[in-house]
Amino acid sequence: GVARGSTGVFPRMGPRGDTGTALARLRELRVGFNANQLKEASERWARCRDSACNEREHSTVARALEVLSLRAAEGVRAKGAPSRGGPVRAEIAAVLRSVGTFDAIAYIVASPNLSTAFVACTSLEILLGVVNTHATRPSAVLIAALAVRVVQDEPGADVRTALAAAQALKRLTDSRQTLDDDDVVEAVRAANVVPAFAKRLVDFAKAPTRSKLVISMDAVAPCAIAAAAFASRRDLWDFLDAPTEVSSAQSAPTASVLAEALVSTATRCACEERFDAAAVVLDTAALLAATRHNFREALCRPESGFARATDACVKGVGFLEADISSSDSSAAAAASAFRALAAATPDLAAPMNDEWKPTIEALVRGVAAHGESARSGAGDNCDAQSRREAAAMATVAVASLLMPKRWVYGAPHAPPAPWRASLLAAGLVKALCETTGAWADAGIMNRGLAAVAQTPIGGVGWNGRGGPEHAWCAVERLVVPGETPCLGTEDAAALTRAALAAVALVAPPSTRREQVVSSILAPSESRSQGAPPPLVAGAGAGARDSVAEAAASAAGRVLCALLECDATRAVATRALEETRNLLGGDEWTMCVGRHLSLGVGATPAKACLAAALARLPTGRGALVESGAVTRVCCTLVELVSSAKAAAASRRAETLGETIGESEGENNLDEARDARRFESRAGFVDESSVMGLGDDSYSSRNTEESFLFAPFRWRTGDASLIAASLKALVELVAPRDTEAPGDKSVSSTSSSNAETLTSLPAALRETLASSLPISLPETLAALASEAGAASFGGDAGDEIRCWSLLACRCVGADASVGSVGGAARVAHALKQALPDQFKESGDDVDEIAVLSASTVSPPDVYFVLHDGTRQPAHAAVLNARCPALLPAMNTEVPPAGTPNNPDLNLSPKHFQVLKLGHGVTPGALRAVLEWVYAGALTARALEDGDSENNKTNGLETNENETVSLRRLARKCGTHELSELARGRRPKLGAYTRCLTDSLVTQLRSGRCADVKTFAEETREDAEERDENVSTESKSKSTREAHEKTRKHAFAHRVILCARVSFFRAALDTRHGFTESVQTWGGAESTIRLRCPVTSPESLEALLVTLYSGSCFEFFQSCRRVPLSHSKETAATTAINLAAGLEYLMLHEEADECALFVVFASGAADWRERLGGVRGALRALSAAAAHRRWSELDALLGVISENAYQEAVETAPDLWQNIHPELREAMRRAHVQRTRALRA
């Protein structure tokens, strides 16, 4: 089995009280250790390692390695603890980093002599336990040899060698850089060991049901350890996605089969009290569930038995040191079960029966025991280490289980967390109060949390420290406005006091200096007689403490949530006011405001504290007086500008480009700030701390997404920006209550909840003069789709919602200054929105309607009660707001077919829709601007600044606002309704993306009125001429041929808005053939020829026009063999770039070029380009389209890496390349060969 918490070499020192025995043991070890022996052993190894390639010398080399490992273990033990022994570790690290060491070990690991291989694997495991694996270099040969050794041993043979190899393999892969190495991954993939590990685990799970010999549990332990070692590398487990028939042919299990096998194995191991093996199996399941969606779905099915496995692992586990009835291995198994539970949360259904009851009770007990870590301290007691890890992982699992489902910002009903009611019924609130209170007291008394927090926890999927951060995350997800049941008054008061203590620990120190001294000097028994509490002296003592900063950031979010919730607002406000007065009142509040700039040390905790203090009338005045508004705005501007410069610098560095002198200096200065950012606060994001759900690790599209992203954020940027946005909103927006006439559109919160309103015009002008000029553009960039997507996950959704609300509060136009391809789509559609006009009577003025939009003729015609006419386009409305159309327009036709004539109208047939008296022209225009642009425009922000409102008084302004709220709610644009009301976004809220709706509309074929074709190449024409004789080229034959051509349906308004070429071609005034609309049968479409030459390029072109970025297409398409596809992704990218350049879409064309250049320079260029043949096809396409940047990149990769292979294996494609290009590649190949020989 696997010994967790101990390396198997270093003996445990026993309890802390046995000091005499420990000192005697240390003296004995120091007497027996001689430093010269270690030096001699390392020199002996250096002499023997070169002969490892000789099979006859394997025993000699293995003996030298064994002596070296024994001397290293003696040296570390002589220092008293495995964490010491610096000179010994330095010597061993130098030996392992020397050239040829890992290759020599790989030879003797793969030795046919089992005894020699066993000695080599055991000695290597000891040496890796002595040094830090991060200090070693990844060795593809050694890792492949260890993995093969685990697979080679038969299940019934002696498993000692396989177990030692698996443990050494696990230590090597604990370093993240090991599996990031492409050579290591290719070696493991070539050995085909990962499917063998999975098959061995499946065979073990099915062994009891077969008539064959039952495989022992010791035999499956090595494969379980090895599978856990490679589980974090996502692409090594791609065989799980294969269909059942393919997996059976390849002797590889599917995701469902492997999930059931792992669960069954973990249950069996736990029932037989082999908790160490159960922990390893569940670690593998946790990482696979975190990185593979199909495996997570299979794991969460009721028939998989996941509930039984977790119950078996957590049954009777003890989390406290006093729980002597449970062993350390059982606590380790419980920690692994909680880790798997946290990874499976997204697809885990609510517990409907008592099947999960033992697990829920264990989770609550673990959360309650988590605070004991703060009281007992970190320490080096190995007996309590696994219990603390289990308690910490229980808190992580609870925080994950309480994560609410994603819901549209402002939707009527937010879905509650599935496990919320069950956890609350088990007493979770009381457990969280105990834990957070214990950590808050420990932080104040110890002046920080780094000394009492648990050291970095080992094991799969956990890279953080056992602090209270996740406990506060669980509290935040419990305190959600509008959720039931609500917290009680006593619990809310306890949580508020603990949150204030956690935040004050990293906040500015108290300004009452005399009370600070009294608080330090006063004994504990005199505090009840009027002495100041310890909070006064502990305020600010935890600054620059990474654990305290992370906990304070989460506690600050809890404080804001407590102030927002109706049930806890009064208690939280009272406690906040008392703490503020205790620490210094207005003077201390002004210090908080001065700490909101990066130069002074802004952190998320301080920004959340400022947002909470701004809810107090007195606190808000002190913050404004200290210049907090300007400081917060400057922080946002600086963060965004540095991230933008870092992204540009990374993109230029990847492509090998040079930046202008002045621009280069600025970008270089911004890039140098990256190191300062990494150490600014020391906190990390939740996703990186948990190590769960991070699909970007080992993902093929991650590096490309970095290149296409407009920003490159650093650790902690997301938390700081979200907190700063909250502080800005609370500082600049005045409070208001719900309008009396707006009760019909109440949202999820109560009707008397506090709302935010935009500033009056005079105050807005005064505020604008003191704010940075680039603030509106900064907020618009954060509110854009690309800006929010650059953060990834829930952080991007939260930041986008708060950015839109901040734009509304300060009066910024979110459509001006946005970044990315989606912003270009939104700007183009905004220009296509027809203008309003007035008309009397019921007749339709076709000339006025057609002239309302210069982009595309409208086909929908809204009539208002005051005579206002508002034309629109059915395609955009059906994609973004189908509630504005009749019910028949929302029907989805079969994919790939045009619509019914009744649903697809020509410019001569308008769809007239009459709206009621409650809809005003301004409200309808604001809703349509949201539908077309996907952002809050300046027109929607004008509550009372227009001349009409000034002349008609305040009543008109209120009617306009109420009309906008009601219309937005009825139309289903919940985000606009919530922004108009000034409601703060709740946890899990997100804003729907414009481009996602458009791409969905494209693929569904709804309201399509244009049939697009790709241009016919010369090869296609010759093939058609061969099939169709000259005599039979009649009109009917040509029409039949046109129907067989690859085509795609699109929407005229989107094509014309995005491309001026299409706009001119489809304009009837120009008389082009494309502008003639065909009516016949069930079709009413326009035929349009696009400047691409293949069906793949046509699909990519349309997706790029609708989404604004070609990355969306290349991310969704799969790389398939050349025999199944006419083009590879690189060839499609080159053809697409040529078409986009022809259409004058230069930004999108540059993205395609970026994709090809990056794929050519990547280590796995063969897979990205489709092998050598795919690279030659792409080279021919680049030369034909005169794409010089792509051509240079492809010439370089072929001439440097595959010149001879291209000449020999693909002569047909090689001869099609221009002779000058072939000569250039030959010369480059010759020069490279001569340079290597020299």
Side-chain angles (χ1 to χ4, degrees):
V2 188
R4 295 173 65 90
S6 174
T7 60
V9 178
F10 309 111
R12 295 182 177 178
M13 301 306 299
R16 292 178 180 269
D18 199 1
T19 307
T21 306
L23 291 177
R25 178 61 178 162
L26 286 178
R27 295 190 188 98
E28 180 182 354
L29 290 173
R30 288 194 178 96
V31 172
F33 173 70
N34 188 354
N36 294 330
Q37 294 179 354
L38 177 63
K39 189 68 176 178
E40 294 175 358
S42 61
E43 292 176 355
R44 178 183 177 182
W45 165 255
R47 293 191 301 268
C48 295
R49 68 186 178 192
D50 293 336
S51 59
C53 56
N54 188 355
E55 185 177 337
R56 297 180 179 179
E57 301 294 332
H58 281 182
S59 59
T60 304
V61 179
R63 177 58 184 167
L65 184 64
E66 183 183 18
V67 172
L68 179 63
S69 64
L70 293 177
R71 296 293 179 265
E74 291 176 0
V76 175
R77 285 200 303 265
K79 297 300 181 180
S83 60
R84 303 173 186 173
V88 178
R89 294 177 183 277
E91 178 71 21
I92 298 302
V95 172
L96 293 179
R97 284 197 299 265
S98 60
V99 179
T101 294
F102 280 154
D103 293 340
I105 297 176
Y107 276 116
I108 56 177
V109 165
S111 175
N113 190 336
L114 291 180
S115 300
T116 302
F118 172 72
V119 171
C121 295
T122 306
S123 303
L124 177 62
E125 200 270 337
I126 295 174
L127 292 175
L128 294 175
V130 170
V131 300
N132 188 354
T133 54
H134 296 275
T136 61
R137 298 175 181 176
S139 173
V141 178
L142 178 58
I143 291 177
L146 291 170
V148 171
R149 171 58 64 184
V150 175
V151 176
Q152 277 183 348
D153 293 337
E154 295 296 330
D158 184 12
V159 298
R160 296 186 307 158
T161 305
L163 185 60
Q167 290 176 338
L169 184 65
K170 182 67 175 63
R171 288 191 176 276
L172 282 174
T173 55
D174 280 342
S175 175
R176 188 158 184 157
Q177 64 180 359
T178 301
L179 292 181
D180 279 338
D181 189 88
D182 294 328
D183 295 335
V184 172
V185 176
E186 290 300 327
V188 174
R189 187 181 288 112
N192 199 28
V193 291
V194 177
F197 296 152
K199 187 176 183 300
R200 183 77 62 87
L201 292 173
V202 173
D203 292 341
F204 173 77
K206 295 181 178 180
T209 61
R210 295 179 178 179
S211 59
K212 298 181 180 179
L213 180 65
V214 177
I215 304 175
S216 64
M217 193 172 299
D218 292 333
V220 79
C223 284
I225 300 172
F230 293 119
S232 58
R233 182 73 191 200
R234 187 179 189 277
D235 52 352
L236 291 177
W237 300 83
D238 287 341
F239 61 89
L240 296 177
D241 295 334
T244 305
E245 56 274 8
V246 178
S247 300
S248 301
Q250 298 176 354
S251 300
T254 60
S256 59
V257 173
L258 181 59
E260 294 178 3
L262 291 177
V263 170
S264 175
T265 303
T267 306
R268 178 181 171 187
C269 293
C271 293
E272 298 182 10
E273 296 186 356
R274 294 295 302 272
F275 295 107
D276 47 2
V280 176
V281 172
L282 287 177
D283 282 342
T284 305
L287 275 176
L288 290 177
T291 56
R292 308 202 69 87
H293 179 66
N294 57 345
F295 181 87
R296 184 169 64 243
E297 287 183 343
L299 184 66
C300 295
R301 293 171 185 166
E303 57 270 17
S304 67
F306 185 39
R308 295 191 300 272
T310 55
D311 291 348
C313 291
V314 304
K315 184 178 181 180
V317 64
F319 299 98
L320 303 177
E321 295 185 18
D323 298 333
I324 59 177
S325 59
S326 63
S327 61
D328 297 343
S329 59
S330 64
S336 300
F338 294 150
R339 190 177 294 113
L341 191 64
T345 298
D347 293 324
L348 201 60
M352 303 301 296
N353 47 36
D354 295 338
E355 188 178 16
W356 288 97
K357 186 176 180 180
T359 303
I360 294 175
E361 294 176 352
L363 286 171
V364 175
R365 287 191 292 109
V367 171
H370 188 207
E372 292 296 325
S373 302
R375 296 188 178 96
S376 59
D380 293 328
N381 191 351
C382 296
D383 294 333
Q385 181 77 10
S386 58
R387 292 186 175 91
R388 293 173 183 170
E389 179 181 356
M393 287 309 306
T395 309
V396 173
V398 167
S400 301
L401 292 171
L402 288 176
M403 186 64 189
K405 300 294 184 181
R406 295 179 73 245
W407 64 290
V408 177
Y409 175 34
H413 300 286
W419 286 60
R420 176 187 173 92
S422 301
L423 290 172
L424 288 177
L428 178 62
V429 175
K430 182 179 179 181
L432 288 173
C433 290
E434 295 177 0
T435 297
T436 54
W439 280 103
D441 295 340
I444 295 298
M445 299 303 297
N446 293 277
R447 304 295 190 270
L449 292 176
V452 295
Q454 190 177 355
T455 54
I457 300 175
V460 183
W462 176 265
N463 302 317
R465 304 187 68 177
E469 177 188 5
H470 293 286
W472 285 117
C473 290
V475 175
E476 180 192 9
R477 293 162 186 177
L478 275 180
V479 188
V480 179
E483 288 287 350
T484 56
C486 301
L487 295 179
T489 304
E490 296 181 0
D491 296 333
L495 291 173
T496 303
R497 287 192 295 269
L500 286 171
V503 175
L505 186 62
V506 299
S510 174
T511 56
R512 304 186 187 275
R513 296 174 178 82
E514 67 283 355
Q515 293 190 9
V516 172
V517 177
S518 302
S519 176
I520 296 175
L521 299 179
S524 58
E525 60 270 7
S526 65
R527 288 179 183 145
S528 60
Q529 302 176 3
L535 178 62
V536 179
R544 300 183 183 278
D545 186 328
S546 59
V547 182
E549 288 285 356
S553 175
R557 297 194 301 268
V558 170
L559 186 60
C560 294
L562 289 170
L563 291 171
E564 175 67 14
C565 186
D566 294 338
T568 59
R569 183 182 300 117
V571 177
T573 303
R574 189 183 311 112
L576 179 61
E577 186 68 39
E578 293 175 357
T579 304
R580 173 179 173 272
N581 295 331
L582 180 66
L583 296 178
D586 290 345
E587 187 178 358
W588 179 76
T589 305
M590 295 176 68
C591 289
V592 174
R594 287 190 287 268
H595 278 70
L596 297 180
S597 60
L598 289 178
V600 183
T603 61
K606 296 175 182 177
C608 289
L609 178 60
L613 291 172
R615 302 291 296 266
L616 304 176
T618 55
R620 186 181 188 186
L623 288 172
V624 173
E625 185 179 354
S626 66
V629 178
T630 305
R631 296 175 187 272
V632 169
C633 295
C634 292
T635 297
L636 291 172
V637 172
E638 185 176 349
L639 287 173
V640 172
S641 61
S642 60
K644 186 176 182 179
S649 177
R650 178 191 178 98
R651 191 179 302 111
E653 180 182 358
T654 303
L655 298 179
E657 299 176 350
T658 57
I659 308 177
E661 183 176 355
S662 59
E663 183 182 358
E665 294 178 356
N666 296 332
N667 290 341
L668 183 60
D669 294 338
E670 298 290 349
R672 288 173 179 171
D673 292 339
R675 297 179 180 178
R676 177 177 63 85
F677 257 88
E678 296 296 336
S679 59
R680 181 178 65 241
F683 52 85
V684 294
D685 293 335
E686 179 181 355
S687 58
S688 61
V689 170
M690 293 178 60
L692 297 173
D694 187 9
D695 291 353
S696 62
Y697 179 42
S698 306
S699 177
R700 297 172 180 173
N701 295 322
T702 302
E703 296 177 341
E704 291 98 325
S705 64
F706 284 147
L707 293 178
F708 287 103
F711 302 108
R712 184 188 179 191
W713 305 107
R714 288 159 286 196
T715 303
D717 282 1
S719 301
L720 182 56
I721 287 177
S724 299
L725 288 171
K726 293 179 182 179
L728 177 62
V729 169
E730 299 295 345
L731 285 170
V732 302
R735 271 59 176 182
D736 196 3
T737 56
E738 284 293 334
D742 198 26
K743 295 182 180 179
S744 60
V745 290
S746 60
S747 65
T748 54
S749 302
S750 60
S751 59
N752 59 348
E754 189 181 46
T755 60
L756 304 174
T757 60
S758 59
L759 295 175
L763 184 57
R764 189 185 305 170
E765 294 176 0
T766 304
L767 182 63
S769 61
S770 62
L771 298 180
I773 301 177
S774 57
L775 178 64
E777 295 182 0
T778 299
L779 295 178
L782 293 174
S784 61
E785 294 183 21
S790 62
F791 293 98
D794 298 332
D797 297 333
E798 180 187 12
I799 288 175
R800 190 182 184 200
C801 292
W802 279 100
S803 300
L804 289 172
L805 185 58
C807 290
R808 193 256 188 197
C809 293
V810 302
D813 193 339
S815 62
V816 178
S818 53
V819 296
R824 295 190 290 268
V825 176
H827 178 72
L829 283 181
K830 183 180 178 182
Q831 301 298 323
L833 177 60
D835 297 328
Q836 290 182 349
F837 62 92
K838 285 197 174 185
E839 186 181 45
S840 60
D842 296 335
D843 296 336
V844 178
D845 188 354
E846 296 184 0
I847 298 178
V849 173
L850 293 176
S851 60
S853 175
T854 59
V855 176
S856 177
D859 48 13
V860 177
Y861 186 69
F862 291 102
V863 178
L864 277 69
H865 67 93
D866 62 347
T868 304
R869 303 295 189 264
Q870 174 63 68
H873 301 89
V876 180
L877 294 179
N878 201 356
R880 294 277 293 162
C881 186
L884 281 175
L885 295 176
M888 63 176 185
N889 261 6
T890 61
E891 299 177 359
V892 181
T897 60
N899 288 352
N900 188 281
D902 295 336
L903 310 181
N904 195 12
L905 305 175
S906 71
K908 296 182 180 180
H909 298 78
F910 302 104
Q911 195 168 6
V912 180
L913 301 175
K914 294 184 179 181
L915 302 180
H917 290 271
V919 180
T920 61
L924 178 60
R925 185 72 183 185
V927 171
L928 290 179
E929 286 180 349
W930 175 269
V931 170
Y932 275 72
L936 198 63
T937 59
R939 185 187 300 269
L941 298 171
E942 297 176 355
D943 288 341
D945 300 340
S946 63
E947 294 296 335
N948 185 29
N949 289 340
K950 290 180 181 179
T951 57
N952 295 337
L954 183 62
E955 183 179 358
T956 304
N957 175 28
E958 293 180 354
N959 293 336
E960 190 80 17
T961 305
V962 172
S963 176
L964 173 59
R965 296 173 184 176
R966 290 179 176 176
L967 180 62
R969 178 68 61 180
K970 291 181 179 179
C971 293
T973 55
H974 304 292
E975 304 94 332
L976 180 59
S977 174
E978 203 76 352
L979 290 172
R981 304 175 68 196
R983 291 300 185 105
R984 303 174 184 87
K986 296 195 303 184
L987 195 64
Y990 74 96
T991 304
R992 289 168 291 190
C993 297
L994 170 66
T995 55
D996 291 346
S997 303
L998 296 180
V999 172
T1000 303
Q1001 179 87 343
L1002 169 67
R1003 290 172 176 168
S1004 65
R1006 293 176 297 188
C1007 298
D1009 52 0
V1010 176
K1011 182 185 289 187
T1012 59
F1013 294 90
E1015 288 186 349
E1016 193 176 30
T1017 61
R1018 184 178 60 183
E1019 292 79 4
D1020 295 336
E1022 293 176 355
E1023 182 180 357
R1024 174 173 54 84
D1025 293 339
E1026 292 177 359
N1027 297 333
V1028 182
S1029 60
T1030 306
E1031 293 79 10
S1032 62
K1033 285 184 179 180
S1034 60
K1035 181 179 179 180
S1036 58
T1037 306
R1038 289 195 300 268
E1039 291 179 354
H1041 173 70
E1042 291 293 340
K1043 290 184 179 180
T1044 58
R1045 289 179 57 186
K1046 295 294 183 180
H1047 60 271
F1049 290 98
H1051 305 85
R1052 177 176 182 176
V1053 59
I1054 300 176
L1055 297 180
C1056 295
R1058 292 281 284 133
V1059 182
S1060 58
F1061 174 83
F1062 292 153
R1063 189 185 311 171
L1066 298 177
D1067 194 340
T1068 56
R1069 295 173 297 181
H1070 297 163
F1072 294 112
T1073 58
E1074 291 86 352
S1075 62
V1076 180
Q1077 190 169 11
T1078 303
W1079 289 80
E1083 292 192 6
S1084 168
T1085 56
I1086 301 175
R1087 297 162 48 83
L1088 182 64
R1089 187 175 55 186
C1090 298
V1092 289
T1093 57
S1094 65
E1096 295 85 358
S1097 302
L1098 177 62
E1099 180 185 359
L1101 175 64
L1102 293 178
V1103 173
T1104 303
L1105 293 179
Y1106 278 64
S1107 64
S1109 174
C1110 64
F1111 177 67
E1112 300 295 333
F1113 173 79
F1114 293 115
Q1115 189 179 26
S1116 60
C1117 71
R1118 297 180 178 179
R1119 297 185 180 93
V1120 295
L1122 291 178
S1123 58
H1124 298 127
S1125 177
K1126 192 175 182 180
E1127 287 187 351
T1128 60
T1131 308
T1132 303
I1134 293 174
N1135 294 333
L1136 176 60
L1140 292 171
E1141 197 73 35
Y1142 181 82
L1143 298 176
M1144 295 183 292
L1145 298 177
H1146 305 292
E1147 293 86 354
E1148 289 82 354
D1150 293 341
E1151 287 186 0
C1152 294
L1154 185 63
F1155 174 83
V1156 177
V1157 172
F1158 178 78
S1160 302
D1164 56 342
W1165 64 270
R1166 292 178 181 271
E1167 186 177 1
R1168 295 175 184 270
L1169 298 178
V1172 177
R1173 296 183 64 87
L1176 291 176
R1177 289 174 184 251
L1179 179 64
S1180 301
H1185 293 294
R1186 291 172 173 78
R1187 302 291 305 173
W1188 308 122
S1189 59
E1190 298 94 314
L1191 184 63
D1192 292 340
L1194 292 169
L1195 286 174
V1197 69
I1198 295 176
S1199 60
E1200 293 180 5
N1201 303 314
Y1203 176 80
Q1204 199 68 27
E1205 181 181 355
V1207 175
E1208 296 176 357
T1209 61
D1212 52 339
L1213 298 176
W1214 179 260
Q1215 294 299 325
N1216 292 335
I1217 299 176
H1218 196 276
E1220 294 184 2
L1221 296 179
R1222 296 202 302 267
E1223 180 63 19
M1225 286 188 285
R1226 188 193 67 80
R1227 292 180 180 179
H1229 174 69
V1230 171
Q1231 293 177 0
R1232 175 179 171 78
T1233 305
R1234 292 177 179 176
L1236 292 177
R1237 291 177 179 176

